[in-house]
Amino acid sequence: MPPSSLRVVYAFAREMHPKTTDVFIQYGTAGFRTKAILLEHVVYRMGLLAVIRSRVKNGRTIGMMITASHNLEPDNGVKLVDPDGEMLEEEWEAHATKLANVSDNDLEATTMEIIQEVKADMTLKASVFIGMDTRYTSPRLAAAAANGVIALKGTPKEFGIVTTPMLHFFVKCRNDNSYGTPTEEGYYEKIIGAYKNMRKSLPTKGDYSPCLYVDGANGVGGKKLKNVKKNFDEEELELHLFNLGGSGEKLNLGCGADHVKVTQTPAKGIPSTPYQRIASLDGDGDRLVYYYTDDKDKMHLLDGDRIATLLASYITELLQRCETTEVQLGIVQTAYANGASTKYITDTLKIPVQCVKTGVKHLHSAAHKYDIGVYFEANGHGTVLYSSKAKNVISRIAREGDPEPREAAKLLSQFIEMTNETVGDAISDLLLVETVLCARGISALQWMQLYTDLPCRQLKVTVADRNAIQTTDAERQCTSPEGLQQRINELVAKYPSGRAFARPSGTEDIVRVYAEAESQLEADTLAAEVCQAVFDLAGGVGARPELPATQE
Ligand code: 16G
Ligand code: MG
């Protein structure tokens, strides 16, 4: 039943969170993200939408996370979390965009329109969990979120500073208490408890050392790892934490998973110890990559593809030891996955692999189609999803199986407990990776030796309208502008093992280009040539991209 008047929605907006900009803002791949100073009215309005969403979901809890992930300090953002701890359903992104952009004067009417369109029963209770990252602009935005919730008579619960995946976990647990307890302690208990249990059956062996350096990106993830660290003795996991956001240390600046992945250079502020394994988190703790530097100071990156293959191969081994063929495992990647990883998955691991569009929601829903779905973006965002069928089969074997399969099923059950299935989670993923490295008795170097990546390069091109580029086949082929795909095909054909694609970014007003080939120079040249093609055929702006110096 819609309410007769929403005056209070307007009153809050006008008095406390007025819209002060006419810049259009869109709910993109990861919610709204822009300069923090442009966001207060947007976040307030998302508080309203979260309440409507909660009522449409029969009063189940919805999450709101205030963060701009790996972006630099002046940015911020907000995204909504659905009742199962998953990203907001895609159809609602249009409601979010509409509500964020109307004038204050039209806000009341637009809110009413949305309520009617989605048929929300506004007499129901509504519950919204709110979390934020460490940005200095976050508390103010979290308060705006809470006011939005209150304006529509929902109940906000603020968790303060938490990682994005923790907030997703809390939402899931609140709506399904069999998953865990919706508190930070509940989160640690489940994930850390499973790691400790598993390590009881998997003592340190071979070349694995429990000593791990961590780059906390000067954000929330590193801070939370301080709590995690307290639970371990050094034999279980010896964490050395760096970039924890002390005074003068800037969030994501020169450090963090995105910096390491994109620039392919180490994070600042970490002592250089050859072959020491280093885990790098992003600013809100939902991405993880590993790396080490060798004795010549060259960096070697172990990205999301490496994590996916490591986890999937171990789960496959445990399933074999469980002696079950009932559970099928698959891997989901995006076009950015290194071609060598896809080949290794197909030829060596013999695991089905699927490629989908960039963005967690696409990977997550594709992974749901397998009994066990492992998904990772190359940038380090990913997790493992286990269907109820898989969980039932595994727990049955853990209870009733023969001794050897029972042992394997018990390990797998703990592995499942350690996984945050709601979304990619750097802390949970870190513990999963450490478990597998320990179980295999391997070092970072040996992990790297499982296959050899093709050299690759990512570049960006500025065009007048990024939507001039349209893609198909999981963003691997361009369908417009005309002639671009044919040009890319001709360029790629010049390089053995060459592969390249161009896609419009979902988070910035640019086109991204990716290329890989047998040598770094070839990958760099191919990427630059594709940039030129995009620039020429899709309305490039500014200076024409140049080829690498050695090609001039
Ligand atoms: C967002 C996505 C991330 C994706 C990235 C691509 C979520 C939670 N995050 O950060 O998965 O890799 O966008 O950015 O979905 P791009 O479209 O600018 O390349
Ligand atoms: Mg992030």
Side-chain angles (χ1 to χ4, degrees):
M1 199 212 311
S4 50
S5 158
L6 295 173
R7 273 330 266 174
V8 67
V9 165
Y10 171 69
F12 259 113
R14 198 196 52 201
E15 293 302 319
M16 305 196 47
H17 313 296
K19 183 168 183 277
T20 52
T21 164
D22 283 332
V23 179
F24 178 79
I25 185 160
Q26 187 169 358
Y27 196 100
T29 341
F32 292 108
R33 196 177 291 180
T34 185
K35 296 278 163 270
I37 44 165
L38 300 176
L39 271 171
E40 198 171 313
H41 69 285
V42 176
V43 176
Y44 164 69
R45 292 158 180 222
M46 287 309 101
L48 304 174
L49 192 68
V51 171
I52 301 173
R53 182 85 182 141
S54 171
R55 292 197 171 121
V56 165
K57 294 284 170 188
N58 262 322
R60 296 177 87 208
T61 294
I62 297 293
M64 287 182 79
M65 183 68 197
I66 311 293
T67 180
S69 184
H70 55 276
N71 291 28
L72 294 178
E73 190 93 40
D75 288 359
N76 214 324
V78 58
K79 54 185 166 189
L80 298 191
V81 178
D82 260 355
D84 284 323
E86 300 179 356
M87 316 275 290
L88 176 69
E89 188 183 296
E90 214 166 335
E91 281 104 79
W92 275 62
E93 292 180 7
H95 298 310
T97 301
K98 187 170 173 191
L99 200 58
N101 288 289
V102 292
S103 68
D104 286 331
N105 281 335
D106 291 336
L107 183 60
E108 192 181 330
T110 305
T111 307
M112 189 71 93
E113 259 170 55
I114 295 175
I115 289 171
Q116 284 168 347
E117 199 179 326
V118 300
K119 300 192 176 62
D121 178 350
M122 297 302 279
T123 62
L124 294 179
K125 286 190 173 158
S127 151
V128 180
F129 280 5
I130 301 169
M132 62 179 177
D133 70 12
T134 53
R135 285 162 211 266
Y136 63 90
T137 53
S138 290
R140 199 181 162 85
L141 294 175
N147 280 341
V149 176
I150 292 164
L152 282 184
K153 299 199 176 62
T155 309
K157 181 173 162 84
E158 294 190 59
F159 284 84
I161 295 174
V162 289
T163 66
T164 296
M166 279 179 176
L167 201 261
H168 284 250
F169 174 88
F170 301 153
V171 170
K172 167 81 176 162
C173 294
R174 176 68 184 77
N175 293 317
D176 170 7
N177 60 15
S178 71
Y179 197 67
T181 313
T183 59
E184 200 168 322
E185 294 67 38
Y187 169 89
Y188 293 135
E189 236 165 67
K190 179 167 154 100
I191 286 174
I192 297 173
Y195 180 83
K196 288 172 81 82
N197 278 340
M198 235 175 140
R199 284 300 310 271
K200 281 188 201 132
S201 327
L202 300 171
T204 301
K205 69 169 192 196
D207 289 321
Y208 175 74
S209 151
C211 170
L212 175 68
Y213 287 8
V214 182
D215 160 25
N218 293 322
V220 51
K223 280 198 195 319
K224 298 299 178 190
L225 276 171
K226 279 202 220 166
N227 301 336
V228 173
K229 178 182 158 98
K230 286 187 223 146
N231 293 278
F232 298 129
D233 62 42
E234 292 195 346
E235 194 41 42
E236 284 170 327
L237 188 56
E238 185 190 327
L239 292 173
H240 296 260
L241 308 176
F242 303 94
N243 297 330
L244 297 180
S247 68
E249 290 187 319
K250 286 263 185 262
L251 178 67
N252 297 322
L253 191 67
C255 60
D258 196 62
H259 165 87
V260 168
K261 169 73 182 162
V262 174
T263 65
Q264 310 210 10
T265 55
K268 68 166 181 52
I270 301 185
S272 153
T273 313
Y275 299 102
Q276 170 61 50
R277 212 164 64 251
I278 302 173
S280 185
L281 279 60
D282 79 337
D284 64 335
D286 65 357
R287 283 203 213 167
L288 176 73
V289 297
Y290 274 72
Y291 68 93
Y292 62 88
T293 48
D294 63 21
D295 44 14
K296 296 188 184 62
D297 230 19
K298 181 172 183 311
M299 188 186 108
H300 300 266
L301 180 69
L302 294 144
D303 62 6
D305 304 340
R306 298 276 176 175
I307 298 176
T309 46
L310 187 77
L311 302 187
S313 73
Y314 183 61
I315 297 170
T316 304
E317 179 198 315
L318 288 180
L319 284 172
Q320 281 161 358
R321 284 167 47 193
C322 284
E323 293 174 6
T324 174
T325 50
E326 277 179 79
V327 179
Q328 299 305 315
L329 177 139
I331 297 182
V332 184
Q333 302 185 309
T334 71
Y336 288 104
N338 196 281
S341 75
T342 315
K343 192 167 179 332
Y344 173 73
I345 293 166
T346 309
D347 297 353
T348 308
L349 300 180
K350 302 200 189 310
I351 294 175
V353 56
Q354 194 194 342
C355 179
V356 300
K357 275 163 67 174
T358 302
V360 172
K361 61 189 172 209
H362 302 297
L363 291 116
H364 198 90
S365 64
H368 263 315
K369 302 202 171 91
Y370 298 100
D371 298 329
I372 298 182
V374 179
Y375 76 81
F376 270 87
E377 292 191 303
N379 64 24
H381 188 116
T383 186
V384 187
L385 304 183
Y386 313 86
S387 64
S388 6
K389 174 185 151 192
K391 286 179 179 167
N392 289 340
V393 169
I394 293 159
S395 64
R396 191 188 67 226
I397 301 171
R399 277 192 322 271
E400 301 164 5
D402 290 340
E404 166 59 13
R406 196 168 35 182
E407 244 357 87
K410 280 186 186 158
L411 286 175
L412 201 41
S413 302
Q414 293 299 336
F415 206 73
I416 295 171
E417 275 295 290
M418 211 191 303
T419 310
N420 183 348
E421 291 180 70
T422 61
V423 77
D425 180 337
I427 294 178
S428 153
D429 289 339
L430 180 151
L431 296 178
L432 292 171
V433 167
E434 292 302 313
T435 303
V436 181
L437 294 177
C438 172
R440 296 240 188 277
I442 59 174
S443 63
L445 173 66
Q446 289 160 325
W447 179 13
M448 187 60 108
Q449 285 166 343
L450 293 174
Y451 64 86
T452 308
D453 273 318
L454 284 167
C456 63
R457 178 64 60 202
Q458 268 192 62
L459 295 174
K460 42 186 171 182
V461 192
T462 308
V463 295
D465 175 13
R466 68 180 145 156
N467 296 318
I469 305 251
Q470 301 280 323
T471 64
T472 182
D473 188 23
E475 303 178 314
R476 290 173 292 188
Q477 301 278 327
C478 292
T479 49
S480 116
E482 217 185 311
L484 178 59
Q485 188 56 47
Q486 197 189 337
R487 183 80 193 108
I488 295 176
N489 292 346
E490 287 161 11
L491 294 169
V492 166
K494 297 196 296 182
Y495 301 95
S497 308
R499 186 172 73 89
F501 62 86
R503 57 172 281 275
S505 157
T507 61
E508 286 180 70
D509 207 8
I510 48 157
V511 174
R512 294 201 199 279
V513 166
Y514 173 92
E516 61 188 33
E518 271 173 10
S519 73
Q520 192 60 56
L521 180 60
E522 286 174 332
D524 290 352
T525 311
L526 177 56
E529 288 172 341
V530 173
C531 282
Q532 290 189 336
V534 169
F535 187 90
D536 294 343
L537 295 170
V541 175
R544 190 167 185 267
E546 287 178 15
L547 295 180
T550 44
Q551 294 289 303
E552 297 287 310

